[in-house]
C-alpha cells in the first residue's frame, strides 16, 4: 500500500492550492482518509477527514470554511482544496488512511489521544508567503 500526497508549492497569501492524495494497493471505499500538517517546530495537527463509504467530511476548526475535502474513489484519490491561504498554513501536508473512520476523527479532534493511521503518505510542502 502506498499513499502519495502532491500538489504543494509556493503561493501568496490569499491564494489557493489543491492537494491530491493518491493511493495504490487499497480502495478508498473502505477507508477514511485524513489530511494532517506539520509546521516547523510544531506538533502535527489534523486538518480534515473524509469517509470513503459515505463521503462524510470533517474539518479542524482553524479551517473556517477555507478548505474543502473531496474524494474520487474510482481514481483512489482524495483532494484538499485550500483557499484564502494564510502564512500560518505553511507546513508539510500529509495524507493518511484509516480502516476505522472513527480513529481519523479521534486523531483530528483529540490529538493527545490519537490512534494513528494504518497508512501514511509522504508529505507535500505548502509555503504561503505574505
Amino acid at each position: 500500500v502506498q499513499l502519495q500526497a502532491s500538489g504543494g508549492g509556493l503561493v501568496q497569501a490569499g491564494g489557493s492550492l489543491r492537494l491530491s492524495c493518491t493511493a495504490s494497493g487499497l480502495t478508498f471505499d473502505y477507508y477514511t482518509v485524513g489530511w494532517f500538517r506539520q509546521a516547523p517546530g510544531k506538533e502535527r495537527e489534523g486538518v480534515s477527514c473524509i469517509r470513503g463509504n459515505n463521503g462524510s467530511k470533517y474539518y479542524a476548526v482553524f479551517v473556517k470554511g477555507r478548505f474543502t475535502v473531496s474524494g474520487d474513489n474510482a481514481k483512489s484519490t482524495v483532494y484538499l482544496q485550500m483557499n484564502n491561504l494564510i502564512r500560518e498554513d505553511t507546513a508539510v501536508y500529509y495524507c493518511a488512511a484509516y480502516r476505522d473512520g472513527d480513529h481519523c476523527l479521534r486523531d483530528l479532534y483529540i490529538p493527545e489521544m490519537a490512534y494513528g493511521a494504518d497508512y501514511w503518505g509522504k508529505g507535500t510542502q505548502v509555503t504561503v508567503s505574505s
Side-chain angles (χ1 to χ4, degrees):
V1 174
Q2 286 190 328
L3 296 176
Q4 180 65 56
S6 61
L10 174 64
V11 62
Q12 288 191 330
S16 299
L17 283 173
R18 188 176 80 158
L19 306 184
S20 299
C21 174
T22 302
S24 60
L26 64 81
T27 303
F28 277 156
D29 303 65
Y30 305 111
Y31 285 82
T32 293
V33 174
W35 283 100
F36 296 83
R37 69 185 189 183
Q38 188 164 19
K42 294 189 176 181
E43 296 288 324
R44 186 175 64 205
E45 62 181 351
V47 177
S48 179
C49 295
I50 180 170
R51 293 186 186 270
N53 60 348
N54 62 14
S56 295
K57 305 172 184 181
Y58 309 85
Y59 298 97
V61 172
F62 66 77
V63 168
K64 295 181 180 178
R66 300 182 297 125
F67 297 178
T68 302
V69 65
S70 62
D72 185 338
N73 287 359
K75 296 182 178 179
S76 293
T77 301
V78 169
Y79 304 98
L80 184 68
Q81 177 67 43
M82 305 188 296
N83 299 327
N84 297 319
L85 286 162
I86 59 178
R87 285 188 63 185
E88 289 73 18
D89 294 320
T90 295
V92 178
Y93 284 70
Y94 300 88
C95 60
Y98 296 75
R99 292 189 186 92
D100 188 332
D102 289 345
H103 292 180
C104 187
L105 300 189
R106 174 73 68 90
D107 289 5
L108 177 63
Y109 293 125
I110 316 176
E112 62 273 20
M113 299 178 66
Y115 278 106
D118 294 285
Y119 303 103
W120 282 96
K122 293 183 179 179
T124 185
Q125 175 71 47
V126 172
T127 303
V128 183
S129 64
S130 57

